[in-house]
Amino acid sequence: MVLTWQSCYYFAFDTRPIMSTEAPALDLKKTINLPKTKFAQKANLPQTEPARLKKWADMKLYEQIQAARAGAPKFILHDGPPYANADIHLGTALNKILKDLIVKSRTMLGFDTPYVPGYDCHGLPIELHVERKLGEKKKDMPPLSIRRACREFAANALKRQTRDFQRLGIFGEWDNPYITMSDHYEAETARLFARFVERGFVYKGARPVYWCIHDQTALAEAEVEYHQHASPSVYVKFPLKSDPALIDPALAGRRVFALIWTTTPWTLPANLGIAVHPDFDYVAIESGGEVYIIAAELIDVVAARCGLAEPKVLARFPGSKLDRLEAQHPWIDRPSLFMVGEHVTLGGEADAETELDVSEAREKSATNKAGTGLVHTAPGHGHDDFVIGKKYGLEIYCPVDNAGRFTNEVEYFAGLSIFEANPKIVDFMRERGVLLFSENYDHRYPHCWRCKNPVIFRATPQWFISMDHAGNELTEKDEDDRDRSNFTSNFVGGELLDEQSLRVMSVREVDDRVKWIPAWGRDRMRNMLSGRPDWCVSRQRVWGVPIPAFYCAKCNHVIAEPNVIRHVADIFEKESADAWFKREATDLLPENFKCGECGATEFTKETDILDVWFDSGSSSIAVLEARDNLRWPADVYIEGGDQFRGWFNSSLMVGLAVHDRAPYEAVLCHGWTLDAQGKAMHKSLGNAVSPDEVIPKLGAEVLRLWCVSSNYMEDMRCSDEILQRVADGYRKLRNTARFALGNLDGFDPAQDTVSDHALLEIDQWALAELNSIVVAVREAFEAYDFHDVYQTLHQFCTVTLSARYFDIIKDRLYTFAPRNQARRSAQTALYRIADALARMMAPILVFTSDEIWENLPASSEALPVVHMAEFPKPADEDRADLLTKWAHLFGYRDAVLAKLEEARVAKTIGSSLEARVEISAGRHAYEVLNNHRDDLRYIFIVSEVELSEPHAEMDSEALEITVIRAHGQKCDRCWNYSTRVGESSKYPTVCERCVAALEEIEASDRLS
RNA sequence: CGCGGUGUAGCUCAACGGCCAGAGCACUCGAUUGAUAAUCGAGCGAUGUCGGUUCAAUUCCUUCCACCGCGACCA
């Protein structure tokens, strides 16, 4: 039987004898069941959160949760290690909170979900920071001392980050994180390098890097700064070697020159080619008896500069026509190969190598055009030259030594420093008649940040991981320490694809196996992988894992053998990678090791270290495989979009090298943090929101709520206003929970629960609504749609509960006798709602949900902390019919509320209880309303409702609503109006319902 | 410059190509004073831009603009 308000009232009224004369009248106000709870309205989060964290730490909550989930199916989120060089910022906090949301929600879905946080500790930023602190001292310090300082710095940053992450309410193995500078991790990193070598992915080659000839060191991009610098700008003639008729019959038999422009004459001895754009128009122009090839668009500019009188166009052709033809070097007996490349521009950005701001460079091009559209290409001295040179199989030729002097093979200029040589080369070319024009050219040029001297681009030996080939041989080197073997194409062109290559394998994994969330991640990753060059893994630095290679002191043979590397790794395992710097080469090599080439027993150590991306990329193997409670591969990785090229990529490479598959089943990508205007947050712009500022003001809880208040898969804005809105949202959730808790005072679930079928229909409806959001929330958590979770919960609290359900049941909760079955019915629903809300909120509002949990009447499960519980389970029964019916009722209610508002504006009523509502309804509407005839006054929160039969002509769903003042008197106790106020002599100021309730209360008091 | 993403109300989000673009918060007004530094109701308020496809576009295509990330910026 479904109870109604009326039946409960009569039930009470009929079975309790009236004994109005026996006892003195009760204080009416005290008979109202007002909400009562220890769950404070004001959260005081900044104060209460740390106390709760301490409680959890003391009880070893994380360990308890893990123990409780032992044996359950595992779910592994693998943590991408944040870089341990600074305190956390909003982006780091977002990242970690999202991970925590995944871990907590999977835990509550029943999975065993361990979380091992990690820290990325090696690398340039830390080394630079330490260098800056050390200042001049650094120069005299041995690598070991610098490494010690770096280690201390990273350890300190890591400690501070850990403290801040814990403050955010993130659960995990904080006492046992993975640290890339730990002995084990360093050893494992070296072992993984051995694995790459074993599979033939590693080769040693040359690549142009910034090089300071004063300090004789390679520089990272971060170490160069830009200053004005005057360079000689020269226009140089390259005689065409191929038959000019191949370009155009009109040129048959003519003496033709390709005209190039450069601001670095010293790179001309290394010239091996000329690049043109395949789609630009080029022309052969005749002037003074000679023919020059230049870009069509630049005829006027070049002619003016070079003093070419009356240029006459002999032929016009696209750049692609020149592809693979040859010119002759202007003074060396060597061909210069024509190549086509998209990087060629029509001048003006000549100094763009030094520009960080592209728009600035573009503007310059309008006013300061220079160039010929033909690009002098020296693969050993420029990045693009290097790339296109590789493509065309050119040597990475760099006849310049560490001190910036030409090597012996450079005729005329050997031994000269390149800056001294510049003017000499210009004069030399003028004498030879190959120079058309020269001038001084002011432009921004990279300089060494330390010694302030101009730097050069110079190819130096580097270690690479090949993207396109497996089974590579380590490179042989010639007497000048140059790479001679890797001159073949390593570009994807459709042909020559090696099925075992990292590129092919990685694209296959990205396409076929990994799930990308959002879906565009797949395209982005594929694009990145198919276009990227070989991975340069060497760095000329000290703070990292050394590349465990040796060189024979006698024959210079490279020793990078898997067994030798593993031998070194075993030493790292015990002594950390510092051993590389502490020990002599022979102490690092296996006993009695001899050079495989010449049998010598003296060796030198490689001085380069591994790229930090290699470190962090190693984590899936070094951590997931190494720890008993984890497993490889991970179910999910989640990082910001910058990690496609970073950790997602390097982890994939390592996974492929070790197991031929991706280390993750799914990859989620979260957005960047922006300010209120949608600008990226930067400390230097002063628009960054810091967790350090938010937490003392609003609490970590509000920051966590911010993470789900918006869609993390896109960029996330944050500002004071946004946080204020989030805090408002928080208060709504909190107050909703508080109302439920307050009305559960005196409710014992074990004793007082009303069985499902006996619940009032509206209470059944509320639970059906609850069930539908339980389903929605579980699904949203499973799909990582945390934003949906929040929206769903918030909507439920504001609309379903606060504006409707709670408002309606207040009368019953407050005015009915405490133990009345109708009141117990509402409490049963409230209890289940509060319990479910606490569970569903738990991953997000980690503190508040537990506070709700604590203030809930004891549950049968009796778990001390909500985080040990699971999400509510969806009900078996489908109540779609009930939901539909009540959707209609609430539609009618909205119509009534609108009429009440009109009456309020007209001053007919104030409180809605002052109203009597008269309704004529169409056929269907009448049917629905009539079924709840006696409940309508409570649903509408008015004192009286009169429902009349439908007119025949009315639309089936139509309502005619009239609002007038309620009849009778206002009841002193329940504030409803009734014509029967005064009937009781004992309680002359109350209505018939309250008389019954008071009788019930008195009877109950006597019994207890 | 290349690749990718985003653009709906002051804020955070909705809308199988289809009813008058829908919520919550904020703001204004009103009610209540028994969720009270609360609660209830009402009002206000929006598709970045130029075109196109379509009977119909927030949705599909295109131009431009703005913003975000990654990469490139060479002689």
Side-chain angles (χ1 to χ4, degrees):
Chain A
M1 148 193 154
V2 173
L3 292 177
T4 67
W5 284 269
Q6 293 294 323
S7 62
C8 284
Y9 153 61
Y10 283 118
F11 175 77
F13 187 80
D14 290 347
T15 55
R16 304 288 174 190
I18 296 172
M19 291 176 276
S20 55
T21 52
E22 280 180 17
L26 295 166
D27 180 349
L28 290 180
K29 181 84 171 177
K30 283 186 178 156
T31 67
I32 300 289
N33 313 303
L34 292 180
K36 189 180 157 197
T37 175
K38 279 187 235 162
F39 186 86
Q41 180 168 26
K42 190 165 160 31
N44 247 327
L45 294 169
Q47 284 75 46
T48 57
E49 285 173 351
R52 196 166 294 272
L53 284 170
K54 179 165 189 313
K55 181 185 130 187
W56 288 340
D58 290 347
M59 67 186 283
K60 294 201 173 297
L61 176 58
Y62 172 78
E63 288 77 3
Q64 280 203 49
I65 294 169
Q66 288 310 113
R69 290 291 186 281
K74 277 200 187 290
F75 184 92
I76 305 296
L77 177 147
H78 183 38
D79 187 34
Y83 196 64
N85 72 330
D87 286 348
I88 68 168
H89 55 263
L90 193 63
T92 343
L94 170 70
N95 175 276
K96 273 289 194 286
I97 289 170
L98 290 171
K99 286 168 180 167
D100 191 50
L101 288 167
I102 293 174
V103 169
K104 287 202 170 82
S105 57
R106 294 286 149 165
T107 299
M108 296 188 76
L109 283 163
F111 290 92
D112 173 9
T113 317
Y115 176 62
V116 176
Y119 297 92
D120 195 7
C121 303
H122 292 135
L124 185 67
I126 289 174
E127 194 173 337
L128 286 182
H129 190 274
V130 166
E131 274 186 10
R132 248 172 250 139
K133 264 198 325 205
L134 293 172
E136 281 301 303
K137 274 191 296 181
K138 194 241 169 183
K139 278 196 164 163
D140 312 319
M141 283 172 74
L144 265 177
S145 306
I146 295 168
R147 283 174 64 91
R148 192 178 310 118
C150 290
R151 197 176 283 279
E152 279 167 17
F153 178 78
N156 184 259
L158 173 166
K159 214 167 123 191
R160 294 169 62 91
Q161 288 188 2
T162 302
R163 179 201 60 197
D164 291 347
F165 289 145
Q166 287 178 297
R167 178 63 186 82
L168 293 171
I170 292 156
F171 297 170
E173 294 185 30
W174 295 111
D175 298 333
N176 189 23
Y178 78 87
I179 296 171
T180 61
M181 64 177 180
S182 70
D183 299 352
H184 169 71
Y185 199 104
E186 288 183 337
E188 203 59 22
T189 306
R191 285 186 192 111
L192 285 166
F193 184 71
R195 181 69 183 152
F196 276 87
V197 171
E198 197 165 54
R199 296 197 56 172
F201 290 134
V202 177
Y203 69 92
K204 199 175 178 202
R207 169 191 260 202
V209 294
Y210 287 112
W211 185 269
C212 176
I213 58 180
H214 177 267
D215 293 351
Q216 300 206 14
T217 177
L219 299 171
E221 288 215 19
E223 296 171 302
V224 300
E225 49 189 42
Y226 296 89
H227 302 295
Q228 284 301 122
H229 180 78
S231 297
S233 157
V234 294
Y235 289 75
V236 183
K237 292 155 60 176
F238 279 57
L240 193 68
K241 200 175 170 192
S242 305
D243 180 1
L246 291 172
I247 302 170
D248 192 300
L251 301 176
R254 300 299 304 259
R255 200 167 143 69
V256 178
F257 297 94
L259 194 57
I260 64 95
W261 175 74
T262 182
T263 55
T264 50
W266 65 268
T267 61
L268 284 167
N271 173 284
L272 295 177
I274 297 169
V276 294
H277 196 288
D279 303 328
F280 289 170
D281 264 350
Y282 288 84
V283 288
I285 55 167
E286 183 182 23
S287 176
E290 288 189 330
V291 180
Y292 305 103
I293 296 173
I294 57 171
E297 208 176 298
L298 297 169
I299 295 176
D300 296 342
V301 186
V302 173
R305 276 248 160 86
C306 299
L308 303 177
E310 297 168 16
K312 187 178 146 205
V313 176
L314 299 180
R316 178 180 286 263
F317 47 90
S320 55
K321 199 89 186 186
L322 295 169
D323 197 15
R324 293 192 188 272
L325 297 185
E326 285 186 346
Q328 173 69 36
H329 192 280
W331 71 86
I332 300 169
D333 181 18
R334 189 172 65 206
S336 185
L337 184 68
F338 279 101
M339 301 173 285
V340 298
E342 306 275 339
H343 65 288
V344 174
T345 60
L346 292 176
E349 294 103 271
D351 53 342
E353 83 176 289
T354 63
E355 293 292 348
L356 293 175
D357 184 339
V358 174
S359 57
E360 194 190 330
R362 254 184 303 173
E363 274 176 40
K364 266 191 182 172
S365 68
T367 54
N368 196 11
K369 277 200 169 179
T372 64
L374 284 77
V375 175
H376 148 60
T377 299
H381 289 300
H383 183 267
D384 273 0
D385 300 36
F386 169 77
V387 170
I388 196 170
K390 282 272 224 182
K391 188 172 179 180
Y392 277 82
L394 295 182
E395 184 181 348
I396 309 306
Y397 179 51
C398 175
V400 174
D401 69 13
N402 287 358
R405 293 176 193 283
F406 284 116
T407 57
N408 288 335
E409 66 195 85
V410 180
E411 216 182 336
Y412 310 115
F413 307 107
L416 279 181
S417 156
I418 54 112
F419 287 114
E420 291 164 23
N422 252 345
K424 298 206 159 100
I425 291 173
V426 175
D427 291 343
F428 178 84
M429 290 192 295
R430 189 175 294 119
E431 285 162 20
R432 294 235 160 181
V434 297
L435 182 72
L436 271 192
F437 178 71
S438 79
E439 64 179 343
N440 268 336
Y441 188 83
D442 261 331
H443 60 162
R444 297 179 69 211
Y445 190 86
H447 290 68
C448 175
W449 72 321
R450 201 176 307 117
C451 70
K452 310 296 178 196
N453 287 303
V455 302
I456 64 172
F457 244 126
R458 174 175 177 265
T460 62
Q462 305 285 338
W463 292 87
F464 289 90
I465 288 175
S466 168
M467 289 301 294
D468 292 296
H469 299 289
N472 284 303
E473 290 294 319
L474 285 173
T475 290
E476 295 282 345
K477 294 182 303 164
D478 67 14
E479 67 280 4
D480 291 325
D481 216 43
R482 288 198 315 260
D483 169 16
R484 288 281 193 199
S485 69
N486 188 61
F487 298 157
T488 50
S489 163
N490 70 342
F491 273 71
V492 222
E495 72 262 48
L496 287 173
L497 287 181
D498 180 342
E499 288 299 317
Q500 290 301 303
S501 73
L502 288 170
R503 199 186 308 276
V504 171
M505 289 197 292
S506 61
V507 169
R508 185 195 66 216
E509 289 294 292
V510 164
D511 276 345
D512 300 343
R513 191 196 296 274
V514 180
K515 181 178 169 134
W516 300 91
I517 303 170
W520 51 256
R522 169 174 284 113
D523 290 342
R524 180 166 172 184
M525 194 71 180
R526 194 199 304 106
N527 281 341
M528 191 276 295
L529 288 167
S530 50
R532 62 161 296 176
D534 287 350
W535 182 8
C536 177
V537 290
S538 51
R539 295 290 183 271
Q540 292 70 48
R541 284 276 148 193
V542 300
W543 180 228
V545 176
I547 293 178
F550 299 87
Y551 300 94
C552 173
K554 202 167 151 203
C555 73
N556 217 24
H557 177 59
V558 189
I559 294 137
E561 296 164 17
N563 288 341
V564 173
I565 297 171
R566 292 194 179 106
H567 176 81
V568 173
D570 290 342
I571 297 172
F572 290 179
E573 184 88 47
K574 297 190 198 90
E575 305 176 16
S576 94
D578 287 349
W580 188 259
F581 301 88
K582 251 180 232 167
R583 294 179 172 225
E584 294 301 321
T586 43
D587 289 339
L588 288 158
L589 284 159
E591 242 177 288
N592 301 321
F593 189 83
K594 290 189 177 64
C595 173
E597 289 290 305
C598 70
T601 52
E602 294 286 307
F603 303 93
T604 57
K605 296 176 284 186
E606 169 64 68
T607 53
D608 287 358
I609 59 166
L610 281 167
D611 178 14
V612 268
W613 287 113
F614 195 95
D615 289 31
S616 58
S618 304
S619 65
S620 76
I621 304 295
V623 179
L624 297 185
E625 282 201 336
R627 299 203 182 200
D628 289 343
N629 61 336
L630 305 178
R631 67 152 155 71
W632 196 97
D635 289 288
V636 69
Y637 278 34
I638 173 170
E639 303 297 335
D642 55 334
Q643 298 302 325
F644 280 98
R645 202 161 272 273
W647 193 56
F648 295 158
N649 166 47
S650 62
S651 299
L652 179 58
M653 295 303 142
V654 173
L656 291 168
V658 179
H659 293 304
D660 286 312
R661 64 153 292 176
Y664 34 65
E665 299 285 350
V667 175
L668 275 75
C669 164
H670 65 74
W672 225 240
T673 53
L674 311 178
D675 69 9
Q677 277 72 46
K679 301 266 188 198
M681 285 190 181
H682 292 295
K683 265 184 199 159
S684 55
L685 282 181
N687 65 347
V689 173
S690 163
D692 283 354
E693 291 166 29
V694 177
I695 291 170
K697 253 190 294 186
L698 300 168
E701 200 84 305
V702 172
L703 201 61
R704 294 184 66 102
L705 198 58
W706 169 77
C707 292
V708 300
S709 71
S710 155
N711 184 356
Y712 71 84
M713 294 180 199
E714 291 164 17
D715 290 343
M716 304 267 294
R717 294 188 182 204
C718 189
S719 67
D720 284 344
E721 186 194 349
I722 290 168
L723 286 170
Q724 200 50 54
R725 290 292 88 78
V726 174
D728 291 340
Y730 171 80
R731 265 184 242 112
K732 187 69 191 184
L733 296 179
R734 186 177 178 89
N735 267 323
T736 306
R738 183 163 184 266
F739 178 86
L741 294 175
N743 285 290
L744 287 170
D745 183 46
F747 180 79
D748 176 2
Q751 303 285 319
D752 302 325
T753 297
V754 175
S755 61
D756 285 4
H757 62 276
L759 291 169
L760 262 67
E761 191 178 297
I762 191 173
D763 299 330
Q764 293 186 20
W765 162 79
L767 290 175
E769 289 283 357
L770 174 69
N771 187 56
S772 66
I773 74 147
V774 165
V775 172
V777 164
R778 289 181 69 107
E779 279 173 7
F781 270 125
E782 277 167 23
Y784 311 105
D785 287 332
F786 307 129
H787 173 248
D788 272 5
V789 173
Y790 175 66
Q791 295 283 328
T792 302
L793 288 176
H794 190 257
Q795 187 78 4
F796 181 67
C797 285
T798 50
V799 179
T800 309
L801 295 181
S802 191
R804 292 182 172 171
Y805 184 59
F806 286 179
D807 215 27
I808 291 168
I809 64 172
K810 262 193 268 189
D811 177 84
R812 192 165 17 130
L813 289 166
Y814 292 176
T815 69
F816 280 39
R819 298 176 193 179
N820 181 285
Q821 283 301 290
R823 185 163 182 273
R824 291 302 193 207
S825 172
Q827 285 181 310
T828 300
L830 281 180
Y831 175 74
R832 283 164 50 183
I833 288 167
D835 174 87
L837 280 180
R839 293 168 193 256
M840 289 190 287
M841 283 176 184
I844 301 167
L845 300 179
V846 282
F847 302 100
T848 306
S849 59
D850 193 42
E851 199 185 343
I852 296 171
W853 191 254
E854 267 177 3
N855 286 286
L856 219 44
S859 81
S860 55
E861 281 191 78
L863 293 168
V865 176
V866 70
H867 301 294
M868 301 172 77
E870 293 193 19
F871 286 136
K873 304 275 192 304
D876 308 325
E877 208 182 347
D878 178 30
R879 304 304 304 269
D881 53 334
L882 191 67
L883 293 174
T884 309
K885 186 164 88 176
W886 279 79
H888 277 109
L889 277 168
F890 279 109
Y892 307 144
R893 181 179 189 257
D894 289 342
V896 170
L897 261 43
K899 285 289 175 186
L900 287 171
E901 184 64 19
E902 279 177 29
R904 208 157 9 232
V905 170
K907 304 284 180 205
T908 309
I909 58 165
S911 159
S912 63
L913 287 175
E914 289 165 23
R916 168 189 163 92
V917 174
E918 297 173 352
I919 302 175
S920 303
R923 197 183 45 76
H924 177 254
Y926 178 83
E927 204 178 292
V928 176
L929 290 168
N930 193 44
N931 268 331
H932 295 79
R933 195 176 191 96
D934 297 328
D935 303 335
L936 292 179
R937 56 175 289 207
Y938 304 109
I939 295 171
F940 300 154
I941 318 180
V942 296
S943 287
E944 288 176 278
V945 174
E946 187 191 80
L947 179 65
S948 43
E949 299 277 337
H951 320 301
E953 69 274 16
M954 272 181 89
D955 185 272
S956 181
E957 283 294 326
L959 295 181
E960 281 171 16
I961 302 163
T962 311
V963 174
I964 60 170
R965 277 200 72 89
H967 300 318
Q969 299 250 274
K970 179 177 176 180
C971 167
D972 242 10
R973 183 167 175 275
C974 73
W975 297 345
N976 280 253
Y977 280 69
S978 168
T979 50
R980 293 177 62 189
V981 172
E983 281 184 359
S984 160
S985 53
K986 184 171 180 191
Y987 299 109
T989 61
V990 306
C991 68
E992 70 283 7
R993 292 191 316 146
C994 286
V995 171
L998 289 166
E999 301 295 355
E1000 194 179 343
I1001 291 166
E1002 286 182 280
S1004 172
D1005 286 350
R1006 276 193 303 278
L1007 287 172
S1008 56

